[in-house]
Amino acid sequence: MSTLWYVSLELTGEVVDESELKRMAEVSNPSLLLWIKFYKGILAAIFNDWDEAATQCDGLEVLLNDGYGGIEESQIMCFLCLTGVRKPKGKRMAIARRMRKRLQHFAQFAPHNMLGLSWLVEAETARFKTKPKAKSLYVSAMTQLHDDGIHC
């Protein structure tokens, strides 16, 4: 039985069992479990466990249709792209290609939110295809993200 931290609106920091979260999700917030998967996947990626990140990313594409938009959507697209590049198995690579095109499209219209993430995906893709321009893409991505207030 795994335990997750649940922080209420009053920031009490109560501990809630994962089975209780599943019950809460069924009752009031069906996308809660997908968001938990997303954040578990992000943590796995941060600790360079791309196998676990890939496991967590499966099924997250549904969150893109939840109407969150903006920053949340760009983070999900970026995560799906990076996982697809790192672990190109099954339909994951096709999803990554679709998300990459979507990020590039959004970056044209909302560069402040999307351009840095789009360049980060391009850099990772170039790195895994051993293209020499990967380093300059990483520099561009980090510079753009920094300029947008995201410090890497």
Side-chain angles (χ1 to χ4, degrees):
M1 180 185 306
S2 63
T3 302
L4 298 173
W5 282 95
Y6 172 75
V7 180
S8 71
L9 292 175
E10 294 84 34
L11 299 177
T12 59
E14 303 168 40
V15 176
V16 177
D17 185 83
E18 193 165 359
S19 62
E20 177 63 15
L21 280 176
K22 288 179 183 176
R23 189 194 64 71
M24 289 167 57
E26 289 170 0
V27 170
S28 62
N29 186 356
S31 64
L32 174 64
L33 296 178
L34 289 172
W35 281 105
I36 290 170
K37 276 185 69 157
F38 172 67
Y39 287 111
K40 282 182 174 179
I42 293 292
L43 284 172
I46 288 170
F47 290 103
N48 209 26
D49 184 352
W50 287 97
D51 290 325
E52 178 62 22
T55 299
Q56 296 300 330
C57 92
D58 292 339
L60 291 182
E61 196 176 4
V62 142
L63 285 175
L64 298 174
N65 301 324
D66 270 1
Y68 290 100
I71 299 299
E72 291 87 0
E73 188 169 338
S74 65
Q75 291 170 341
I76 294 166
M77 287 188 294
C78 185
F79 178 61
L80 291 172
C81 288
L82 295 177
T83 307
V85 168
R86 295 281 184 128
K87 294 291 174 182
K89 194 176 189 181
K91 63 180 182 177
R92 208 174 287 136
M93 197 60 204
I95 291 171
R97 276 193 292 274
R98 231 177 19 257
M99 294 301 109
R100 185 173 160 206
K101 286 180 183 174
R102 202 166 165 179
L103 262 177
Q104 290 169 342
H105 175 76
F106 288 164
Q108 293 174 358
F109 300 101
H112 188 72
N113 293 337
M114 307 283 188
L115 190 57
L117 293 175
S118 179
W119 283 347
L120 180 62
V121 167
E122 294 303 315
E124 279 286 293
T125 303
R127 175 178 164 222
F128 280 90
K129 291 182 177 179
T130 60
K131 291 185 179 177
K133 66 178 184 173
K135 183 177 180 181
S136 66
L137 287 168
Y138 276 117
V139 170
S140 297
M142 294 305 119
T143 302
Q144 182 67 40
L145 289 166
H146 183 271
D147 290 349
D148 294 342
I150 302 169
H151 302 284
C152 305

